[in-house]
Amino acid sequence: MSAECSSYLNADKVLVSGFSCPRAGGDARAVFCCGFQDVKYCCDDPHSFFPYEHSYMWWLSVGALVGLSIAALVLFAFIITVCVLCYLFISTKPRSKLDTGLSLQTAGKTGC
């Protein structure tokens, strides 16, 4: 079984001539033509959409998880800090009204 990859223009607008799958010196199991309009390659899975190994995706996922974990910890620390400060503000507030030292009395009639 073999497949034909037709010629195409790559991302740099250079014409790449067509080829047969599997390629000489390549993987004998890569009998399908896979890829997009600007990159074609031989593959062993006709539903493959990416010509590179997927191992880099693991490191990308680990990096994303580490970044999200750090962001979650910072957000959690911020929320805890706000809660503690609110509690301290409310708990240290005097329970009764402050005495300003001025007595508010109605002004009586003064004679001239």
Side-chain angles (χ1 to χ4, degrees):
M1 175 182 224
S2 67
E4 293 290 323
C5 286
S6 60
S7 59
Y8 63 94
L9 290 175
N10 67 11
D12 297 325
K13 305 296 183 208
V14 175
L15 180 66
V16 177
S17 58
F19 52 91
S20 297
C21 295
R23 289 184 132 177
D27 187 1
R29 296 172 298 166
V31 294
F32 299 102
C33 182
C34 299
F36 305 98
Q37 290 180 351
D38 60 346
V39 62
K40 293 183 181 179
Y41 56 97
C42 296
C43 63
D44 60 351
D45 181 6
H47 303 292
S48 175
F49 293 108
F50 206 69
Y52 308 108
E53 292 293 324
H54 298 291
S55 62
Y56 79 96
M57 293 294 282
W58 169 251
W59 292 111
L60 182 63
S61 297
V62 169
L65 287 175
V66 168
L68 287 173
S69 298
I70 291 171
L73 286 174
V74 169
L75 180 64
F76 183 69
F78 176 76
I79 290 172
I80 295 297
T81 302
V82 168
C83 290
V84 167
L85 289 175
C86 286
Y87 172 76
L88 289 175
F89 177 76
I90 291 170
S91 67
T92 59
K93 193 165 109 174
R95 303 268 185 243
S96 62
K97 292 184 178 181
L98 290 175
D99 182 18
T100 61
L102 301 173
S103 60
L104 300 175
Q105 298 174 355
T106 57
K109 292 184 180 180
T110 56
C112 294

